[in-house]
């Protein structure tokens, strides 16, 4: 944790210095000083928010990946492994499922998914007891039938979400700074990604690019974006 904080503090200092140099270059090239200062300040704040959104996204996707991996294993071992071992694995799965939420993945306000997870949690908590009771009652059906169904339902949602592309976190952060994030909740993943990218381009990228061009610093914004939001970390 210390090294994580230390690394972030170093990145903040580097970003501050990079933006200061950009602002000087813009002013020296004759750009409006107030606009240059405002744009560079907003870029810094947007990068910081974007990093926080990215961290949350990557954490949610890690939990999603673990849950996807756990579900097939549970489906294979139910009815074969000891009930207490299955229940322990179910509890671990529930811990991951409680942390898969993000505005750009499975949303917390997804009522259908939340309802399925709630049902799964209830059945998981009853699993060991239901197995023990079934063993004492001749002819009683195996208690994991409904549980298996809910696991399959949750797994299907996770599989779909796993295929979604990550957003442009700079664009997303800029949108969240200026607009109501709730306006995105009805959009499909790719529609949302396209929408916030277009908003970012129109309201920030294009005017910033004009200043870059004037100061002979073309590509400065792209370089910063690639530095702080490397694509290989977004999957």
């Amino acid at each position: 944790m210390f090294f994580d904080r230390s690394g972030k503090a170093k990145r903040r200092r580097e970003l501050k210095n990079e933006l200061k140099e950009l602002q000087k270059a813009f002013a020296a090239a004759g750009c409006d000083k107030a606009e240059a200062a405002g744009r560079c300040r907003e870029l810094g704040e947007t990068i910081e928010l974007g990093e926080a959104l990215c961290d949350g996204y990557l954490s949610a996707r890690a939990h999603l990946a673990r849950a996807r991996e756990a579900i097939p294993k549970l489906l294979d071992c139910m009815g074969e492994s000891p009930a207490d071992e299955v229940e322990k694995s179910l509890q671990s799965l529930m811990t991951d499922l409680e942390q898969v939420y993000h505005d750009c993945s499975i949303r917390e306000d997804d009522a259908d998914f939340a309802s399925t997870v709630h049902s799964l949690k209830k059945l998981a908590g009853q699993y060991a007891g239901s197995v023990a009771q079934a063993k004492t009652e001749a002819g009683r059906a195996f208690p994991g039938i409904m549980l298996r169904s809910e696991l399959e339902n949750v797994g299907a949602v996770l599989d779909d979400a796993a295929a979604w592309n990550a957003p442009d976190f700079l664009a997303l952060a800029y949108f969240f700074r200026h607009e109501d994030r709730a306006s995105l909740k009805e959009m499909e993943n790719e529609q949302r990604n396209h929408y916030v990218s277009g908003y970012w381009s129109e309201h920030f990228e294009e005017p910033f690019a004009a200043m870059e061009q004037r100061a002979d610093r073309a590509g400065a914004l792209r370089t910063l974006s690639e530095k702080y939001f490397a694509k290989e970390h977004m999957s």
Side-chain angles (χ1 to χ4, degrees), residues 31 121 200 226:
C31 299
K121 185 175 183 178
W200 160 251
E226 291 173 352

Side-chain angles (χ1 to χ4, degrees), residues 161-180:
W164 297 347
N165 290 318
D168 178 334
F169 287 99
L170 264 180
L172 187 68
Y174 185 82
F175 185 88
F176 281 178
R177 282 171 53 82
H178 293 275
E179 303 292 342
D180 182 2

Side-chain angles (χ1 to χ4, degrees), residues 58-71 74 88-102 105-106 113 117 120-121 154 158:
L58 293 177
S59 176
R61 298 292 281 191
H63 287 288
L64 187 151
R66 283 198 291 270
R68 287 185 71 215
E69 183 179 358
I71 287 175
L74 275 163
K88 185 177 180 180
S89 295
L90 286 166
Q91 290 170 353
S92 178
L93 170 63
M94 296 313 305
T95 297
D96 281 317
L97 289 177
E98 289 170 358
Q99 299 179 75
V100 299
Y101 298 106
H102 188 274
S105 187
I106 298 173
F113 183 75
V117 170
L120 177 59
K121 185 175 183 178
V154 169
L158 298 180

Side-chain angles (χ1 to χ4, degrees), residues 61-216:
R61 298 292 281 191
H63 287 288
L64 187 151
R66 283 198 291 270
R68 287 185 71 215
E69 183 179 358
I71 287 175
K73 294 178 180 178
L74 275 163
L75 290 171
D76 286 342
C77 75
M78 283 171 57
E80 302 294 335
S81 300
D84 59 339
E85 291 184 9
V86 175
E87 191 165 79
K88 185 177 180 180
S89 295
L90 286 166
Q91 290 170 353
S92 178
L93 170 63
M94 296 313 305
T95 297
D96 281 317
L97 289 177
E98 289 170 358
Q99 299 179 75
V100 299
Y101 298 106
H102 188 274
D103 282 322
C104 298
S105 187
I106 298 173
R107 295 177 58 96
E108 287 191 87
D109 56 10
D110 186 330
D112 290 339
F113 183 75
S115 176
T116 303
V117 170
H118 177 75
S119 175
L120 177 59
K121 185 175 183 178
K122 182 178 179 180
L123 291 167
Q126 299 170 345
Y127 181 78
S130 298
V131 169
Q133 186 175 358
K135 290 180 179 178
T136 66
E137 299 179 15
R140 182 182 175 92
F142 175 65
I145 295 175
M146 290 185 62
L147 178 59
R148 179 179 293 275
S149 176
E150 293 294 32
L151 283 169
E152 290 172 346
N153 290 338
V154 169
V157 175
L158 298 180
D159 287 345
D160 285 343
W164 297 347
N165 290 318
D168 178 334
F169 287 99
L170 264 180
L172 187 68
Y174 185 82
F175 185 88
F176 281 178
R177 282 171 53 82
H178 293 275
E179 303 292 342
D180 182 2
R181 66 176 63 191
S183 63
L184 303 177
K185 73 177 192 175
E186 299 301 329
M187 296 185 184
E188 296 293 334
N189 184 69
E190 289 307 314
Q191 180 187 12
R192 182 202 60 242
N193 289 351
H194 180 75
Y195 183 76
V196 298
S197 292
Y199 184 93
W200 160 251
S201 178
E202 177 183 354
H203 294 280
F204 192 92
E205 269 190 316
E206 291 176 6
F208 199 84
M211 290 193 296
E212 289 180 337
Q213 193 71 30
R214 185 167 183 173
D216 196 25

